[in-house]
Amino acid sequence: EAGVAQSPRYKIIEKRQSVAFWCNPISGHATLYWYQQILGQGPKLLIQFQNNGVVDDSQLPKDRFSAERLKGVDSTLKIQPAKLEDSAVYLCASSPWTGDYGYTFGSGTRLTVV
Amino acid sequence: DQQVKQNSPSLSVQEGRISILNCDYTNSMFDYFLWYKKYPAEGPTFLISISSIKDKNEDGRFTVFLNKSAKHLSLHIVPSQPGDSAVYFCAATLSFAGGTSYGKLTFGQGTILTVHP
């Protein structure tokens, strides 16, 4: 079974620039998550999709972050404009259904904002 | 508000000995708990979980203990192996469908485990 694919692996941008991350979940997984992990902290949920609908985006800074999941498969997370405090690893995860908590994470995208 | 806390940033253990990683939580509504392991440059990998109706769950060398009255859980690794060296995250959630946290995991800060040969 192929894992959760994320790209790019690394990204360095200047503050106020925009950036986008891409995630391809495991085939057939209905639920997709984006987590933000700041250095020294645990992952924090940004947004949760069930198929192509948003279940929870209460922690997403909507003035600068946006996310979509087209056709209930791939997902993109965008930051515009980026701030220094957005420097983190952005992890995508998927699970067969909401409530299956042993979900599979991708390797993440490490974002550095300078 | 840190609802899940791992107060030990790091733990060093000799190969063959027991590793005990601890986790505390403050939200008494949490009813399902998990441990994830993370190697550098990789995403976290699910390790073991426990429901609040149990106080112990075993899977090979890994055992998770839950003390609901103390709002505390621990992960025991016996015997520890050098390949176990990684960051370990505990996570908690409310598992009932329809709840606002359904599907969402709240993670602790992680503990770096180093197992020396």
Side-chain angles (χ1 to χ4, degrees):
Chain A
E1 175 180 78
V4 175
Q6 287 189 248
S7 67
R9 288 299 307 271
Y10 305 93
K11 190 75 177 178
I12 301 174
I13 62 172
E14 294 183 351
K15 59 183 179 183
R16 291 188 289 274
Q17 285 187 323
S18 62
V19 64
F21 312 127
W22 173 82
C23 173
N24 180 236
I26 291 174
S27 177
H29 279 197
T31 310
L32 184 146
Y33 308 83
W34 282 101
Y35 279 79
Q36 179 193 57
Q37 185 184 3
I38 294 172
L39 186 64
Q41 300 181 19
K44 183 186 82 171
L45 180 70
L46 291 175
I47 189 167
Q48 174 186 346
F49 292 94
Q50 176 74 17
N51 296 311
N52 60 352
V54 175
V55 174
D56 184 352
D57 63 356
S58 58
Q59 299 295 307
L60 189 72
K62 299 182 188 62
D63 58 334
R64 298 183 300 106
F65 286 65
S66 64
E68 61 181 3
R69 189 181 184 194
L70 299 175
K71 300 181 182 178
V73 183
D74 292 7
S75 178
T76 56
L77 176 69
K78 296 179 181 177
I79 308 175
Q80 182 179 15
K83 293 185 176 181
L84 296 176
E85 59 260 37
D86 298 331
S87 294
V89 175
Y90 290 85
L91 294 161
C92 178
S94 71
S95 66
W97 51 278
T98 301
D100 182 339
Y101 294 99
Y103 32 82
T104 303
F105 282 89
S107 298
T109 296
R110 179 176 295 279
L111 173 68
T112 303
V113 182
V114 298
Chain B
D1 176 28
Q2 191 74 26
Q3 296 189 70
V4 178
K5 296 181 182 180
Q6 294 175 255
N7 292 318
S8 298
S10 63
L11 175 67
S12 183
V13 172
Q14 282 297 123
E15 181 178 6
R17 305 295 291 268
I18 185 172
S19 295
I20 300 176
L21 296 100
N22 294 303
C23 179
D24 297 296
Y25 61 96
T26 57
N27 188 341
S28 57
M29 298 295 289
F30 286 144
D31 65 349
Y32 197 76
F33 305 88
L34 305 91
W35 286 92
Y36 279 80
K37 178 169 73 173
K38 184 182 183 304
Y39 292 118
E42 295 183 13
T45 303
F46 169 71
L47 193 56
I48 192 170
S49 63
I50 187 167
S51 166
S52 60
I53 62 173
K54 294 185 176 182
D55 54 17
K56 177 182 173 182
N57 188 28
E58 278 184 88
D59 184 1
R61 297 186 296 113
F62 302 90
T63 302
V64 57
F65 295 91
L66 176 62
N67 182 333
K68 289 188 292 292
S69 61
K71 297 191 183 68
H72 177 83
L73 63 155
S74 60
L75 175 68
H76 292 210
I77 307 173
V78 184
S80 301
Q81 300 174 353
D84 296 329
S85 298
V87 179
Y88 288 78
F89 291 99
C90 71
T93 190
L94 290 80
S95 64
F96 60 90
T100 56
S101 292
Y102 189 47
K104 168 185 173 180
L105 293 178
T106 300
F107 284 87
Q109 312 96 302
T111 297
I112 302 170
L113 173 65
T114 304
V115 181
H116 299 282

